């Protein structure tokens, strides 16, 4: 699993960081997504997919 985050699209809602804090955080400067682990372990796959689905701006994708 590989996560991509488009910080130009991110609106800083923080749903990703709330859903999987081991993988996502937010920038202290502007609140946009910060990827802590762009290739998280498989046991986090379901939670990561949920975070991608919950992202209101569509800034996250998984491949």
């Amino acid at each position: 699993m590989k996560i991509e985050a488009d910080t130009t699209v991110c609106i800083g809602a923080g749903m990703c960081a709330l859903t999987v804090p081991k993988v996502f955080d937010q920038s202290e400067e502007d609140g946009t997504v910060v990827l802590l682990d762009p290739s998280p372990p498989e046991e986090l796959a379901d939670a990561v997919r949920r975070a991608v689905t919950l992202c209101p701006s569509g800034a996250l994708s998984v491949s």
Side-chain angles (χ1 to χ4, degrees):
M1 163 178 281
K2 182 169 170 37
I3 305 167
E4 293 187 29
D6 185 344
T7 56
T8 64
V9 175
C10 179
I11 61 171
M15 294 306 298
C16 56
L18 290 171
T19 305
V20 196
K22 291 181 180 181
V23 177
F24 303 102
D25 199 357
Q26 287 182 273
S27 166
E28 289 190 23
E29 290 180 18
D30 60 6
T32 57
V33 63
V34 173
L35 278 178
L36 300 176
D37 188 352
S39 298
E42 190 59 34
E43 60 264 14
L44 295 177
D46 288 342
V48 168
R49 286 187 182 92
R50 179 161 170 72
V52 170
T53 301
L54 291 172
C55 179
S57 65
L60 303 174
S61 62
V62 176
S63 57

